[in-house]
Amino acid sequence: MSTAYDPSNIFGKILRGEIPAHKVYEDEQTLAFMDVMPQGEGHTLVVPKAPARGLLDADPESLAALIRVVQKVGRAVKQAFQADGLTLFQYNEPAGGQTVFHLHFHLVPRHEGVPLKRHEGGMADQAVLAEHAARIRAALEA
Ligand code: 5GP
């Protein structure tokens, strides 16, 4: 069963500037910003500007642009946190674990032996998120 895109979702609001986010990268087609409930230090989200509920209804052109930015921001995130690895995840529909219905990739830098925190665990401190976003922006500019 397919469900229509609903622009009132929280990432739609971030894209329209209606609510704030700690942004790390933006271009014509994509936006990347910190996850407010990080599953690890540096947990970043990358979203297309074009409306799409998930991977399966996204326009392939928009997806191609998105995955390029996932790689670009992924490199910066890994470098900014001097991580050993990088975990990506992307959920589709409630049964697939999705809670915000605007397509997004999660990027979490990983360190050997450090487990991921719970999905939708605690809210991070805003000042910490701002500092982490600045670190990633600096890595993108390096
Ligand atoms: P999903 O389960 O849909 O893949 O994950 C949605 C993600 O969005 C969660 O990791 C959650 O922490 C994050 N999130 C929820 N509300 C907000 C918000 O208002 N701002 C930001 N930056 N992230 C959010």
Side-chain angles (χ1 to χ4, degrees):
M1 194 182 79
S2 68
T3 312
Y5 177 79
D6 177 356
S8 68
N9 74 79
I10 204 94
F11 298 162
K13 289 181 180 164
I14 288 173
L15 283 166
R16 292 191 298 274
E18 293 167 12
I19 64 164
H22 296 283
K23 296 181 183 178
V24 302
Y25 177 83
E26 181 164 17
D27 63 23
E28 257 178 44
Q29 289 173 285
T30 56
L31 178 68
F33 52 92
M34 306 312 294
D35 192 305
V36 285
M37 288 174 266
Q39 289 184 256
E41 268 204 335
H43 185 164
T44 303
L45 301 169
V46 185
V47 307
K49 290 187 174 175
R53 201 173 148 87
L55 185 80
L56 305 180
D57 63 323
D59 165 56
E61 294 298 322
S62 158
L63 264 187
L66 184 65
I67 203 70
R68 280 193 204 98
V69 173
V70 166
Q71 185 191 47
K72 182 185 179 81
V73 174
R75 284 178 176 152
V77 163
K78 183 168 177 283
Q79 190 193 321
F81 291 87
Q82 298 181 316
D84 304 310
L86 179 73
T87 296
L88 298 188
F89 39 97
Q90 192 281 313
Y91 300 126
N92 297 281
E93 300 302 329
Q98 188 175 13
T99 60
V100 176
F101 300 100
H102 182 111
L103 171 60
H104 53 282
F105 277 88
H106 297 256
L107 284 65
V108 189
R110 303 297 303 279
H111 295 89
E112 290 296 347
V114 180
L116 279 180
K117 290 192 211 153
R118 206 163 51 81
H119 189 221
E120 306 253 292
M123 288 277 274
D125 185 276
Q126 292 295 320
V128 170
L129 289 180
E131 194 273 316
H132 287 175
R135 244 199 259 184
I136 299 167
R137 286 195 301 270
L140 277 165
E141 283 160 18

